Amino acid sequence: MEQKKFDLNSFIGMVLLGGILLWWVNTSKPEEPKTPTTTSEQVVDSTKNTNSTVTENKPVFENDSLKQAALTNKLGAFAQSAINGKEGTSVLENKLVRLVINNKGGQIIEAQIKNYKTHDSLPLYMVKDKNASFNINFGTTDNRILNTKDLFFEPTVTKNGENQVISMKLKVSDTQFLEYRYEMKPNNYMVDFAVRSQGLSNVINSSNKINLDWSLKGYRHEKSIRTENTMYTYYYYKSEDEVDYLNAGNTEVLNDVDWVAYKQHFFTSNLLSDTPFNNATVTSTDLVKNEEIDTVYTKNFELKTPLVLTNGELNYNMKWYYGPSDYNLLKTFEGTDLDETADLGWGIFGFLNRTVFYPVFNMLKGFLSNYGLIIILMTIVVRILMSPLVYKSYVSSAKMKVIRPELQALNEKYPGKENAMKRQQETMAIQRKAGVSMMSGCIPALLQMPVFFALFKFFPTNLSLRQESFLWAPDLSSYDTIFQLPFNIPFYGNHVSLFPILASVAIFFYMKMNQSQQANMQAPPQEGMPDMSKMMKYMIYFSPIMMLFFFNNYASSLSLYYFISNLLTIAIMLVIKNYVIDEKKIIAQIEENKKKPKKTSKFRQRIDAAMKQAQEQQARQQKKK
């Protein structure tokens, strides 16, 4: 083998190349990054506290022929969006809400309600850390199935007057694209949102279903998981011009859906559409497996609905609402019926809250800033309005007390089960002559029940009370805690609340004081019938204990109301008993009523005839024995 000789020219060339390489390495420094490190466009009036930003990074894929071919094979006409797509976000922000929109998917990845905090004083987010997804699934004419959440949109920030506008375009070309258009107004939670396509009639396959999917896992915001998740978190929707709700664990298929609302006690995420959705599937799933364990998410909400092409194109005008579920605010969106998601109760209860209690509360709020005092004043107003019913009940009790000896004598005159019909007939005759009715005592109590249940909805759902303190309660919309237990008591919890204790003590003394009145209202116990007086004695102790357990995890404002309400009722009863009702006048009135001839109605005649017939039949049966 021939030995290689030393080549001087090659050696000199290598030395020169090495020197050039060393010089290039030592003199070539990386390009200094610009400040800021991302290209940012901000459309904002510097005098205002609002901004819109677009942040972009380098292209997702380098523009080389191999990757272009791979993307074209995968995405077809939409390959250009991936080739030119850039990682980045855009921001819509005003004084109320902040939305972050991702280039990938063109969807909202952060929604912060700015003027509110969570129960542990953290910023309040409805959307964050991939807990929500908005996607449109569609087919293309080249037999591909694509999802917008996987594709890159190109953002453009502009202004429409004072409104901030972000246009996200998923491009096939400059004249062919799918657009998500967001427009935010100043000082408004409602954001206009449009889904439109242009020039895609030959790209989107109209024979395939185009499906919109929107899902959200609701973050826990309040201190009490039980009340937030179980009592006040629902999936609301407006379908066929009626607002209804869906309980957790259920799925329904709906038509003519104007909007859906993922309501989480005091806050809600809403999607509204000018073009109603048909054949929409709504689903709500409970994510809280154990209320004693701290949890991040409470429920999972889902909307799946097909979209319809108009002349081969998509054209939907929608709205996003991320904000408080405040009745006073939601009723300003006229024609939407969103105020029904404020959960004021159904029927008469909701009517009372809308027409009586909210107007009174709003009026008092205009004069006072302390919400505990507002509740106390509101309680005084309610009890004064209810005082005529208390008076009516007391008058009926006093009348029954006067005729009670006659009823007792009647039981002695007609003893035994065989005289039950006769006793009842004579009892009704005595009451009719005296002008006394058992119903006159029951009706006032029944009329107060709608107020009780209406306020049961009013206080725990009133956003104005959220995180407002009074005395030892730091949050009137949640339970107060004076002592934390090292263990959990079933149906009671792991804490001791003082307002429910005070309310329970007040209701005990109220029922104790009311016992004699209720005893007067009861007819003397008849043979074979339960003794109601004994049952009332048990209720005096059972009701306060039940209230103590039931209200320990409820809003302290509700317990404060019942505490003050029972104190006022006791005071009103003492005033009526000692200064208003004159038993001598009542006795004189009853004696006067007995002298007056009583006209018996046809209904009463039929009842008397039926009772007489039953009495005769009973007598015949006794003779046969």
Side-chain angles (χ1 to χ4, degrees):
M1 180 179 296
E2 184 178 352
Q3 187 177 359
K4 291 183 179 180
K5 295 181 180 180
F6 176 77
D7 190 340
L8 180 61
N9 293 331
S10 297
F11 177 77
I12 294 172
M14 291 177 64
V15 171
L16 290 174
L17 287 173
I20 293 170
L21 181 62
L22 288 172
W23 173 84
W24 184 81
V25 169
N26 288 306
T27 58
S28 297
K29 296 181 180 179
E31 184 180 353
E32 291 293 330
K34 296 179 181 180
T35 304
T37 57
T38 56
T39 303
S40 177
E41 178 185 1
Q42 182 170 326
V43 180
V44 62
D45 186 342
S46 60
T47 64
K48 296 182 180 180
N49 188 26
T50 61
N51 63 65
S52 298
T53 63
V54 175
T55 303
E56 296 179 353
N57 296 323
K58 65 180 182 179
V60 179
F61 295 102
E62 298 296 336
N63 191 7
D64 60 67
S65 58
L66 290 177
K67 289 183 178 177
Q68 285 190 42
L71 289 171
T72 301
N73 184 57
K74 180 180 180 181
L75 303 177
F78 289 92
Q80 195 67 25
S81 65
I83 294 170
N84 296 328
K86 294 179 175 62
E87 296 278 2
T89 58
S90 307
V91 176
L92 285 174
E93 184 173 10
N94 58 24
K95 294 181 180 180
L96 302 177
V97 65
R98 182 177 185 270
L99 303 180
V100 178
I101 303 165
N102 198 354
N103 290 356
K104 187 175 183 180
Q107 61 179 314
I108 298 170
I109 59 170
E110 282 188 15
Q112 179 189 0
I113 303 177
K114 297 176 66 174
N115 298 326
Y116 296 92
K117 302 289 184 181
T118 63
H119 70 97
D120 46 0
S121 301
L122 296 176
L124 197 148
Y125 286 92
M126 304 300 288
V127 178
K128 191 181 181 183
D129 297 333
K130 300 181 180 180
N131 72 314
S133 175
F134 181 86
N135 177 58
I136 295 179
N137 173 276
F138 62 95
T140 62
T141 52
D142 53 3
N143 296 321
R144 289 176 173 83
I145 302 296
L146 302 179
N147 293 287
T148 57
K149 66 180 181 179
D150 300 326
L151 304 176
F152 283 85
F153 288 66
E154 181 180 323
T156 303
V157 177
T158 57
K159 273 203 166 185
N160 181 16
E162 292 185 346
N163 299 347
Q164 306 166 55
V165 178
I166 292 181
S167 171
M168 309 291 292
K169 290 183 178 179
L170 177 62
K171 289 186 175 181
V172 172
S173 67
D174 289 339
T175 58
Q176 295 175 286
F177 52 81
L178 173 65
E179 180 186 22
Y180 293 169
R181 186 179 185 276
Y182 300 84
E183 182 169 346
M184 176 180 279
K185 305 177 184 67
N187 301 319
N188 201 320
Y189 288 101
M190 194 76 78
V191 176
D192 291 336
F193 176 61
V195 176
R196 298 192 182 100
S197 65
Q198 178 178 306
L200 299 185
S201 58
N202 294 326
V203 177
I204 296 177
N205 190 347
S206 60
S207 62
N208 289 350
K209 282 187 177 181
I210 303 173
N211 294 311
L212 183 153
D213 298 336
W214 177 42
S215 64
L216 180 140
K217 289 194 293 185
Y219 281 113
R220 174 195 174 187
H221 298 135
E222 311 306 324
K223 181 166 65 172
S224 175
I225 299 177
R226 179 183 301 176
T227 53
E228 178 181 9
N229 186 54
T230 307
M231 294 291 296
Y232 307 111
T233 297
Y234 294 101
Y235 192 137
Y236 281 89
Y237 55 84
K238 184 178 181 181
S239 174
E240 298 176 352
D241 289 329
E242 291 188 1
V243 177
D244 205 346
Y245 67 92
L246 183 71
N247 284 315
N250 292 328
T251 297
E252 288 188 14
V253 178
L254 309 169
N255 289 317
D256 197 26
V257 179
D258 292 332
W259 52 257
V260 296
Y262 301 165
K263 181 178 179 295
Q264 302 168 238
H265 199 167
F266 287 113
F267 303 95
T268 180
S269 307
N270 298 0
L271 177 63
L272 302 85
S273 176
D274 290 351
T275 304
F277 302 132
N278 285 314
N279 200 34
T281 302
V282 295
T283 304
S284 177
T285 307
D286 194 350
L287 301 179
V288 178
K289 303 303 179 185
N290 188 343
E291 293 177 352
E292 298 177 18
I293 300 175
D294 194 13
T295 184
V296 177
Y297 303 110
T298 55
K299 281 186 172 60
N300 186 64
F301 305 98
E302 294 178 86
L303 166 68
K304 296 180 183 295
T305 182
L307 300 181
V308 179
L309 294 172
T310 303
N311 298 323
E313 303 286 354
L314 287 172
N315 188 10
Y316 279 80
N317 292 319
M318 305 182 192
K319 289 181 175 64
W320 289 109
Y321 177 90
Y322 290 101
S325 180
D326 180 14
Y327 171 74
N328 290 324
L329 171 65
L330 293 176
K331 71 179 181 180
T332 62
F333 299 112
E334 297 180 359
T336 64
D337 293 327
L338 285 175
D339 58 294
E340 294 194 31
T341 65
D343 196 17
L344 301 184
W346 56 273
I348 184 64
F349 314 127
F351 174 79
L352 286 173
N353 281 326
R354 286 188 294 271
T355 59
V356 179
F357 298 128
Y358 256 105
V360 171
F361 183 87
N362 291 335
M363 179 190 68
L364 294 174
K365 190 169 63 172
F367 296 98
L368 295 171
S369 59
N370 187 305
Y371 284 91
L373 294 179
I374 290 174
I375 292 172
I376 292 173
L377 287 177
M378 186 173 175
T379 308
I380 293 173
V381 171
V382 171
R383 293 322 303 171
I384 290 175
L385 293 175
M386 294 291 104
S387 58
L389 297 178
V390 178
Y391 171 76
K392 186 70 174 177
S393 180
Y394 243 96
V395 170
S396 298
S397 173
K399 289 181 178 180
M400 287 295 295
K401 182 180 179 180
V402 172
I403 65 171
R404 189 175 178 82
E406 293 184 58
L407 299 178
Q408 189 70 43
L410 192 64
N411 286 344
E412 295 173 358
K413 184 178 179 180
Y414 299 103
K417 294 181 179 180
E418 64 278 5
N419 294 317
M421 286 291 181
K422 183 65 175 176
R423 277 198 311 270
Q424 186 65 27
Q425 193 174 14
E426 292 295 327
T427 297
M428 295 173 68
I430 291 174
Q431 292 176 349
R432 188 164 60 251
K433 287 180 181 180
V436 177
S437 172
M438 292 290 293
M439 293 301 294
S440 63
C442 298
I443 289 176
L446 291 175
L447 290 176
Q448 296 182 65
M449 293 302 292
V451 174
F452 177 91
F453 287 110
L455 292 173
F456 183 79
K457 281 288 189 181
F458 176 84
F459 287 113
T461 60
N462 192 327
L463 182 72
S464 298
L465 301 177
R466 186 178 185 270
Q467 297 182 353
E468 292 291 340
S469 61
F470 181 67
L471 299 178
W472 57 85
D475 185 354
L476 286 169
S477 71
S478 187
Y479 57 82
D480 62 290
T481 303
I482 59 169
F483 184 72
Q484 194 72 35
L485 300 174
F487 50 83
N488 186 74
I489 300 175
F491 305 108
Y492 185 75
N494 60 357
H495 63 275
V496 177
S497 298
L498 183 54
F499 275 127
I501 294 175
L502 295 176
S504 299
V505 171
I507 197 172
F508 171 79
F509 284 105
Y510 162 71
M511 295 187 71
K512 190 77 173 175
M513 181 180 175
N514 201 37
Q515 182 182 10
S516 59
Q517 179 189 354
Q518 294 296 328
N520 292 336
M521 291 300 298
Q522 299 293 332
Q526 300 180 12
E527 187 176 349
M529 300 294 289
D531 189 349
M532 298 302 295
S533 61
K534 290 184 178 180
M535 295 180 65
M536 287 301 301
K537 289 179 181 179
Y538 294 138
M539 288 298 296
I540 290 175
Y541 299 96
F542 178 72
S543 294
I545 294 174
M546 183 176 67
M547 171 169 275
L548 181 63
F549 272 75
F550 190 73
F551 284 90
N552 194 60
N553 289 286
Y554 275 73
S556 53
S557 56
L558 192 63
S559 300
L560 172 62
Y561 166 79
Y562 289 132
F563 170 56
I564 300 299
S565 179
N566 284 317
L567 288 182
L568 290 173
T569 304
I570 291 172
I572 291 171
M573 288 170 63
L574 289 173
V575 170
I576 292 173
K577 180 179 180 181
N578 296 315
Y579 301 102
V580 178
I581 290 182
D582 188 340
E583 291 192 6
K584 292 181 179 179
K585 289 184 178 180
I586 292 175
I587 293 172
Q589 182 183 354
I590 289 176
E591 293 300 329
E592 189 68 25
N593 289 338
K594 288 180 179 179
K595 296 176 182 177
K596 295 178 181 179
K598 297 293 180 181
K599 184 178 180 180
T600 306
S601 65
K602 292 183 179 179
F603 177 71
R604 170 56 59 186
Q605 291 175 1
R606 287 195 293 269
I607 292 178
D608 290 343
M611 293 183 68
K612 184 177 180 180
Q613 184 179 0
Q615 184 181 356
E616 292 173 352
Q617 184 178 359
Q618 186 180 25
R620 287 194 296 269
Q621 291 176 349
Q622 291 292 334
K623 289 180 180 180
K624 290 180 180 179
K625 292 180 179 179

